């Protein structure tokens, strides 16, 4: 699958495999995180988990997983493939050799570029996932922009009435179609600005800690990381990245869960100010513990599967690991 010294296709395939494994591992806690950040009525993480289980059974934790499973595999393929190949291209440009050990500057530049590219592909995926995850919340008449009255003519404010059986979307395709009809193409990219604030620094704090930790855990500079080291480094990198990205992730989740039927937030700044005034600064750290817990097994699985897949693809080729930080 090698096409040139600086561009490789096996990074994309390994990223696809790693992405699929991470979705299965991380989606249940991702659902909890989304409900905590954009939903109402949950006192804490444990209460949210118990509420989902009691009302929706264990299947409730896997709401909306089919779309991420199909799309995030492609998303991770692009992320890991783009990062690995851009890192080699940077080394080729700076040192004349795509296999030259990467400096911290090289890793930072490749990570930031990857974060920027990921938003264009990931914003619609994230939005559809969140809309599907959130529709199992009780649908308030306030959000449906309804008003009504009882049969005897006495008006009652339906904004306080729950309609728990209401489902806005029948599935991912219907969700995309509905968003395009009601909000236009730009509706699929709602929350993109907040996602950029999350992903550009987020991927920097994702790949760099992974590279550093792997480098520290290697027995010597010339050897490849042990699978256990890859698993630990990937898990720690995931937790670090997700925890630091939580404030921007909260804003992104709220804007993406905000439907066209009655828009609550005018933009990123309005979302931040409104959330702060109504719920305090702690709202921006809601779901941080879930992100830390979820980020570890999800990213540990992703990096381990990615690296093992690369080892398999390159078993007949003697190539250096691209995640080596130059001393």
């Amino acid at each position: 699958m090698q096409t040139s010294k600086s561009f490789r296709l096996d990074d994309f395939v390994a990223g696809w495999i790693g992405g699929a494994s991470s979705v299965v591992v991380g989606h249940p806690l991702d659902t909890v995180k989304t409900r905590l950040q954009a939903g109402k009525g949950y006192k804490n993480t444990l209460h949210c988990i118990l509420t989902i289980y009691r009302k929706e059974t264990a299947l409730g934790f896997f709401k909306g997983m089919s779309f991420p499973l199909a799309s995030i595999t492609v998303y991770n393929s692009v992320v890991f493939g783009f990062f690995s190949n851009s890192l080699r291209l940077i080394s080729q440009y700076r040192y004349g050799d795509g296999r030259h050990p990467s400096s911290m500057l090289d890793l930072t530049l490749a990570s930031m570029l990857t974060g920027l590219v990921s938003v264009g592909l990931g914003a619609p995926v994230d939005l559809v996932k969140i809309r599907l995850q959130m529709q199992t919340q009780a649908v308030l008449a306030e959000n449906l922009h309804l008003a009504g009255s009882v049969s005897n003519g006495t008006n009652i404010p339906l904004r306080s009435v729950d309609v728990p059986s209401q489902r806005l979307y029948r599935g991912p395709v219907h969700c995309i179609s509905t968003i395009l009809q009601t909000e236009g193409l730009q509706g699929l990219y709602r929350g993109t600005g907040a996602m950029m604030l999350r992903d550009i620094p987020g991927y920097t704090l994702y790949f760099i800690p992974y590279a550093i930790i792997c480098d520290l855990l290697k027995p010597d500079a010339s050897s490849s990381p042990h699978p256990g080291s890859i698993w630990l480094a990937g898990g720690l990198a995931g937790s670090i990245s997700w925890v630091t990205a939580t404030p921007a992730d909260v804003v992104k989740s709220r804007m993406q869960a905000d439907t066209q039927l009655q828009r609550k937030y005018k933009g990123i700044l309005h979302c931040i100010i409104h959330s702060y005034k109504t719920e305090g600064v702690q709202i921006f750290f809601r779901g941080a513990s879930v992100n830390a817990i979820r980020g570890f097994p999800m990213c540990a699985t992703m990096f381990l599967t990615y690296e093992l897949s690369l080892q398999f693809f390159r078993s007949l080729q003697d190539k250096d690991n691209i995640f080596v930080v130059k001393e």
Side-chain angles (χ1 to χ4, degrees):
M1 274 182 277
Q2 183 178 2
T3 57
S4 72
K5 290 184 178 180
S6 297
F7 182 82
R8 299 183 63 98
L9 291 176
D10 47 8
D11 288 298
F12 289 91
V13 179
W16 185 91
I17 297 171
S21 64
S22 70
V23 170
V24 175
V25 171
H27 192 79
L29 282 175
D30 183 67
T31 297
V32 174
K33 179 217 50 156
T34 300
R35 298 284 184 90
L36 283 170
Q37 291 179 344
K40 294 182 179 181
Y42 302 121
K43 299 175 183 177
N44 50 49
T45 302
L46 180 59
H47 181 250
C48 181
I49 293 173
L50 293 176
T51 301
I52 294 173
Y53 180 75
R54 288 168 182 167
K55 292 185 176 181
E56 305 169 45
T57 72
L59 294 177
F61 296 101
F62 295 92
K63 292 289 186 181
M65 192 182 79
S66 60
F67 184 66
L69 189 60
S71 56
I72 289 181
T73 50
V74 177
Y75 173 78
N76 275 276
S77 173
V78 172
V79 166
F80 277 83
F82 181 87
F83 174 78
S84 301
N85 283 285
S86 64
L87 197 56
R88 270 190 294 274
L89 287 171
I90 291 171
S91 294
Q92 182 70 38
Y93 176 77
R94 294 191 64 193
Y95 314 112
D97 183 3
R99 294 175 294 173
H100 190 280
S102 303
S103 69
M104 193 62 67
L105 178 61
D106 300 335
L107 284 168
T108 301
L109 180 58
S111 299
M112 293 180 70
L113 289 173
T114 300
L116 183 62
V117 169
S118 73
V119 172
L121 181 64
V125 173
D126 242 21
L127 184 136
V128 172
K129 172 181 69 67
I130 285 175
R131 293 284 176 90
L132 290 173
Q133 287 174 326
M134 292 303 298
Q135 71 172 343
T136 52
Q137 289 273 283
V139 179
L140 302 180
E142 174 183 63
N143 292 329
L144 294 175
H145 198 51
L146 298 176
S149 62
V150 294
S151 58
N152 62 8
T154 304
N155 291 328
I156 57 172
L158 289 186
R159 64 178 58 247
S160 62
V161 178
D162 287 343
V163 190
S165 62
Q166 180 76 33
R167 293 181 66 85
L168 298 176
Y169 313 114
R170 294 191 295 270
V173 175
H174 181 247
C175 180
I176 294 173
S177 175
T178 301
I179 292 171
L180 288 174
Q181 290 176 5
T182 58
E183 305 175 50
L185 181 61
Q186 67 271 22
L188 285 174
Y189 286 88
R190 181 163 177 78
T192 298
M195 195 170 182
M196 291 178 66
L197 293 176
R198 184 195 73 175
D199 284 2
I200 293 177
Y203 275 111
T204 304
L205 292 172
Y206 184 54
F207 287 114
I208 290 180
Y210 173 75
I212 293 174
I213 296 170
C214 271
D215 195 52
L216 290 174
L217 294 176
K218 288 194 304 182
D220 56 77
S222 61
S223 63
S224 298
H226 185 273
S229 300
I230 294 172
W231 182 85
L232 179 61
L236 290 175
S239 293
I240 291 169
S241 176
W242 272 108
V243 168
T244 54
T246 297
D249 190 47
V250 170
V251 176
K252 178 199 71 69
S253 294
R254 291 195 158 205
M255 292 193 66
Q256 290 182 327
D258 198 23
T259 65
Q260 178 71 23
L261 294 170
Q262 184 172 339
R263 193 70 82 198
K264 182 186 294 184
Y265 307 119
K266 300 175 182 178
I268 296 175
L269 186 60
H270 180 251
C271 179
I272 294 172
I273 294 173
H274 183 274
S275 299
Y276 173 75
K277 287 182 177 179
T278 56
E279 300 174 71
V281 69
Q282 67 271 16
I283 187 58
F284 298 107
F285 298 93
R286 179 175 290 179
S289 59
V290 177
N291 275 339
I293 297 170
R294 161 183 168 267
F296 191 97
M298 186 181 72
C299 296
T301 301
M302 182 155 51
F303 270 108
L304 180 60
T305 310
Y306 169 77
E307 293 285 10
L308 291 179
S309 298
L310 279 184
Q311 288 180 22
F312 173 75
F313 295 142
R314 301 178 182 181
S315 58
L316 300 179
Q317 303 167 11
D318 184 19
K319 294 294 183 181
D320 294 330
N321 192 302
I322 65 165
F323 292 108
V324 177
V325 182
K326 184 172 68 177
E327 297 294 341

